Amino acid sequence: SLDSPVLISRLVQIAIRALTCRNIEQIVNRVTLTDEQLRTLAQWLQTYTDKDGYRKALIGERCFGLQSFRTPGSISSDIGEGKILSALLVPMKIVGLHDRDMLSYINLMQDYIDALDLPLSEGLAAYEAIIEEFRKGNRAYLLTNILMPALKRSYQLEIRHVADRRVAHTALAIERYRLAQGRLPQALGELVPSYLNAVPADPFDGQALRFSLLVQGYVVYSIGEDGSDDGGTERNRESRHPDGTPKFDVTFFVER
């Protein structure tokens, strides 16, 4: 864990890269780039995949968690709360519950790390199952419940980062196709093999990325973490599903 950012740094890194993808989207909408410029941007997106970055971040998170078991008062920034927490743990240590709590935390984090070996589209379901299984019989584990980070949400952001990169990379391939052919493709399959080795998969469901022609331009998109194909809906405050959850896809629009 020493050669990679811990979890919070990983999330900052993801946010910065997401901004970069948005900047690429703005540039492609405003400027007609050369084939060389498009290939350079595409190579950059492929270079910064950092496949094991999230795994290392979880390992780092686990290290911090284990340290919190050794010095539980450090969990809260409030001195009073830290002392109260330390006092509550005294009887737990006497009866051995503290050690079982720590073992539970280790196993929980290892389950999260092992789930990263699954295809991305199956990872979120695995995370939900891990959380549900833990909540069934581990409510007595005080520190694990406190420390258990919102890893499902952070993993959603990790997968969205993959989606951002893939839709941007695909859009750059479309622009290269447009330069060479003088028109837009009718389907992403036309980009293979000259501009893409294969049509990229949507990391949220394992299906091919979606592509739609617009009156002017096109949109490439992933269905996003809600698992619903919303036709390339951009994120905004008004777009919501009937249950009130946000309704949006991970999109790359080119409207020219």
Side-chain angles (χ1 to χ4, degrees), residues 167-194:
V167 297
H169 187 263
T170 303
L172 293 174
I174 292 172
E175 289 305 306
R176 292 186 62 206
Y177 179 99
R178 176 164 26 192
L179 278 177
Q181 304 296 327
R183 64 176 179 85
L184 291 171
Q186 298 300 302
L188 294 181
E190 295 180 42
L191 305 175
V192 180
S194 298

Side-chain angles (χ1 to χ4, degrees), residues 206-219:
Q207 303 300 312
L209 287 178
R210 280 69 170 176
F211 168 70
S212 294
L213 291 171
L214 306 174
V215 174
Q216 185 172 11
Y218 59 90
V219 58

Side-chain angles (χ1 to χ4, degrees), residues 66-94:
L66 291 175
Q67 181 60 28
S68 297
F69 275 91
R70 298 186 180 97
T71 55
S74 64
I75 294 176
S76 174
S77 59
D78 184 281
I79 296 176
E81 289 182 1
K83 289 182 177 179
I84 293 173
L85 181 58
S86 296
L88 288 173
L89 292 176
V90 172
M92 295 179 65
K93 290 179 179 180
I94 293 173

Side-chain angles (χ1 to χ4, degrees), residues 27-35 37-38 175 178-179 256:
I27 290 169
V28 171
N29 272 278
R30 296 177 182 179
V31 180
T32 300
L33 301 176
T34 66
D35 187 73
Q37 290 170 328
L38 292 167
E175 289 305 306
R178 176 164 26 192
L179 278 177
R256 63 171 179 81

Side-chain angles (χ1 to χ4, degrees), residues 68-172:
S68 297
F69 275 91
R70 298 186 180 97
T71 55
S74 64
I75 294 176
S76 174
S77 59
D78 184 281
I79 296 176
E81 289 182 1
K83 289 182 177 179
I84 293 173
L85 181 58
S86 296
L88 288 173
L89 292 176
V90 172
M92 295 179 65
K93 290 179 179 180
I94 293 173
V95 300
L97 189 56
H98 180 73
D99 288 341
R100 293 199 296 273
D101 191 354
M102 182 165 62
L103 181 60
S104 173
Y105 176 80
I106 292 171
N107 290 336
L108 176 69
M109 292 301 295
Q110 189 60 50
D111 287 343
Y112 280 133
I113 292 168
D114 290 343
L116 299 180
D117 293 328
L118 296 170
L120 291 175
S121 57
E122 299 176 18
L124 285 177
Y127 268 47
E128 289 179 355
I130 291 168
I131 293 170
E132 184 62 28
E133 184 64 26
F134 172 79
R135 287 174 176 167
K136 283 180 181 178
N138 298 285
R139 296 184 183 278
Y141 294 143
L142 178 62
L143 286 184
T144 300
N145 277 284
I146 293 174
L147 291 168
M148 186 173 65
L151 288 183
K152 179 188 174 183
R153 180 56 183 156
S154 68
Y155 194 42
Q156 283 179 332
L157 295 174
E158 177 75 19
I159 298 178
R160 191 198 300 174
H161 163 56
V162 174
D164 266 327
R165 193 174 66 245
R166 289 183 183 178
V167 297
H169 187 263
T170 303
L172 293 174

